Amino acid sequence: MPTSTLRRGEHPPPAPTAGGGASQRWFRPLAIFTAVYTYLLIVFGGTVRITGSGMGCGDDWPLCNGQLIPPMDPATLIEYTHRLLAAGLVVPFAALAIHVLRRRGAPGYAGPGGVARPVALAVALLFVQVLLGAITVWLELPAGVTVLHFLTAASMLAAIIVAVVRAGTPAGAAPASAAAAGTAGDQERRARAFYRAARSGAVLGFLVLAMGALTANTGAAPLCQGFPLCNGELVPAGSSLVHIHWTHRLLAYLLVLHVVGAALRARAAPPAVRRATFTAAAAVGVQIVVAAALVLLVLPRWLQALHLAVGAAVWVSLVAWAAVARKHQRTLAAA
């Protein structure tokens, strides 16, 4: 046990707060607001596609049908609202960037575990996203660019979620129980295993998102009927579009198996990692139910929107799980 070096009458220094002290008490709510805004914008962007309103402003950008405020029909109103909301996203992103720049040398901001790097990545992706949005309109919604536009938005959201987790309280050590007892080396090995499982879940989740976006934007969604099989077959016949949809489903099934397996092994994890694992498993479970209903009810629009909203929530839960597990690993390594 280390001995105290304090002289009589001296007091120990205050314990460092998570993520760099009082300054991050302002950062984290702002980052959470930015994440929620980005999530809702992703869902609304999907609604633009689902309602067929993607060309509601024609092929004009940044104007809408050649005007700053055009005459409104339903498609134009939906697309124009989406553009206004997208423009509004610049405000919280700029506020985050300014906050980080002003405190870039403070604890919890700089370095591998700080919030500066994910915020910088999110801001860089925002510039890319604006350019992709313009290209998507100018080229009249090509599937490849539209998918890339969606994945860039998902990556922006992921970067902000990582910043939120890093600005939170420490993940903590594993619980002192018989299951979790062991040497520091044992705990570090378990922490690495927890992080590998979470990282693999996030990678799988990104692949599911990518194939889901490709399925939706290429017209492949109605070509794989029935659930859980595709047109009643394990290896369905048909065009490449059928296989795009079926690949999306197979990756989703693989994600379910992976997350359920990780949840079963998470009993020895510290509380924060365990909660993140179970949250991801619950979100994936809800999405499977929504996806099954979507297919069996032949793709009603409201279920398409719900499928997208829950899918984006699954993505958030997977990224948060990976970020929490990584934070726990770093906490043990620094102890």
Side-chain angles (χ1 to χ4, degrees), residues 143-190:
V145 180
T146 304
V147 170
L148 187 57
H149 186 54
F150 172 77
L151 294 178
T152 303
S155 300
M156 281 168 41
L157 177 58
I160 297 299
I161 293 298
V162 170
V164 169
V165 171
R166 289 185 178 185
T169 55
S177 63
T183 65
D186 291 335
Q187 291 186 13
E188 289 186 17
R189 282 192 291 273
R190 281 195 293 268

Side-chain angles (χ1 to χ4, degrees), residues 19-323:
S23 64
Q24 282 201 352
R25 287 201 294 269
W26 294 98
F27 173 86
R28 197 163 192 261
L30 178 58
I32 291 172
F33 174 80
T34 306
V36 172
Y37 194 143
T38 306
Y39 168 84
L40 293 176
L41 186 58
I42 288 172
V43 175
F44 194 84
T47 303
V48 172
R49 174 188 56 78
I50 291 166
T51 58
S53 305
M55 296 305 295
C57 285
D59 58 0
D60 289 330
W61 192 96
L63 298 178
C64 181
N65 292 324
Q67 300 180 53
L68 185 61
I69 303 177
M72 298 292 176
D73 56 38
T76 301
L77 178 61
I78 291 171
E79 169 62 6
Y80 189 70
T81 302
H82 176 242
R83 291 194 188 185
L84 290 179
L85 292 172
L89 187 62
V90 172
V91 176
F93 268 75
L96 279 179
I98 292 169
H99 182 94
V100 168
L101 284 172
R102 292 179 62 187
R103 296 164 178 82
R104 58 186 179 276
Y109 284 84
V115 300
R117 292 184 181 182
V119 169
L121 175 60
V123 171
L125 288 171
L126 178 62
F127 284 102
V128 175
Q129 183 72 340
V130 170
L131 179 60
L132 286 173
I135 293 173
T136 301
V137 171
W138 291 335
L139 299 182
E140 300 185 8
L141 311 181
V145 180
T146 304
V147 170
L148 187 57
H149 186 54
F150 172 77
L151 294 178
T152 303
S155 300
M156 281 168 41
L157 177 58
I160 297 299
I161 293 298
V162 170
V164 169
V165 171
R166 289 185 178 185
T169 55
S177 63
T183 65
D186 291 335
Q187 291 186 13
E188 289 186 17
R189 282 192 291 273
R190 281 195 293 268
R192 285 195 297 270
F194 296 144
Y195 174 56
R196 283 196 299 269
R199 182 180 59 192
S200 298
V203 170
L204 270 173
F206 188 81
L207 293 175
V208 172
L209 279 183
M211 292 307 300
L214 197 59
T215 298
N217 285 282
T218 57
L223 301 182
C224 218
Q225 296 298 313
F227 187 89
L229 297 178
C230 176
N231 300 326
E233 298 178 310
L234 183 60
V235 183
S239 68
S240 59
L241 295 181
V242 173
H243 297 296
I244 286 173
H245 187 151
W246 185 228
T247 301
H248 168 58
R249 285 207 207 175
L250 291 177
L251 287 169
Y253 297 154
L254 183 59
L255 177 62
V256 171
L257 294 175
H258 176 78
V259 174
V260 169
L264 292 175
R265 295 191 299 271
R267 288 173 296 178
V273 177
R274 187 166 59 246
R275 284 193 299 270
T277 309
F278 291 162
T279 300
V284 169
V286 171
Q287 181 68 329
I288 285 294
V289 173
V290 172
L294 175 65
V295 172
L296 295 175
L297 295 177
V298 197
L299 309 177
R301 284 184 173 181
W302 70 272
L303 266 177
Q304 290 183 51
L306 182 61
H307 184 55
L308 172 63
V310 177
V314 169
W315 174 238
V316 169
S317 71
L318 293 172
V319 172
W321 175 28

